[in-house]
Amino acid sequence: RMLRGNREFALAAVKQNGMALQYAAPDLLRDREVVRQAMLNDVHALSMAHRDLREDPEFVMEGVKTRGAAMRYAVDGLRADKEFVLKALEE
């Protein structure tokens, strides 16, 4: 349990397997760098990120640049934002 909340351990784990994010402590699901590393390894890790990150257009766009499938994990408001979707399609 102690390792779940250890940021350095979480970073190392998600760099190896992005889906390891599912075992991280809740506060690490808000940590931009931990989630970014997980998402770069496996874009589906974005689905486990805190809503705050999935609402952040710039953060979600980082995932979209890696793999378009990241769009499915953005909050509904972003997916409904025509300007955001058009920008994502350009990437």
Side-chain angles (χ1 to χ4, degrees), residues 71-90:
M71 182 64 91
R72 97 173 57 150
Y73 305 116
V75 294
D76 291 342
L78 275 183
R79 290 195 317 254
D81 181 330
K82 290 179 184 177
E83 187 176 317
F84 180 78
V85 172
L86 287 174
K87 185 176 178 183
L89 289 172
E90 290 173 3

Side-chain angles (χ1 to χ4, degrees), residues 34-45:
V34 171
V35 176
R36 178 180 291 111
Q37 290 301 321
M39 184 173 62
L40 291 174
N41 182 277
D42 186 329
V43 75
H44 302 292

Side-chain angles (χ1 to χ4, degrees), residues 11-89:
L11 273 170
V14 299
K15 285 179 181 179
Q16 294 296 311
N17 180 348
M19 297 307 282
L21 187 63
Q22 66 188 311
Y23 303 111
D27 61 315
L28 292 176
L29 301 179
R30 275 189 146 119
D31 186 303
R32 294 180 81 81
E33 188 57 27
V34 171
V35 176
R36 178 180 291 111
Q37 290 301 321
M39 184 173 62
L40 291 174
N41 182 277
D42 186 329
V43 75
H44 302 292
L46 182 57
S47 68
M48 293 173 257
H50 190 275
R51 182 178 178 89
D52 291 350
L53 295 179
R54 292 183 294 114
E55 285 178 328
D56 182 326
E58 291 177 19
F59 191 80
V60 173
M61 192 60 71
E62 286 183 50
V64 169
K65 287 177 182 177
T66 302
R67 187 155 173 233
M71 182 64 91
R72 97 173 57 150
Y73 305 116
V75 294
D76 291 342
L78 275 183
R79 290 195 317 254
D81 181 330
K82 290 179 184 177
E83 187 176 317
F84 180 78
V85 172
L86 287 174
K87 185 176 178 183
L89 289 172

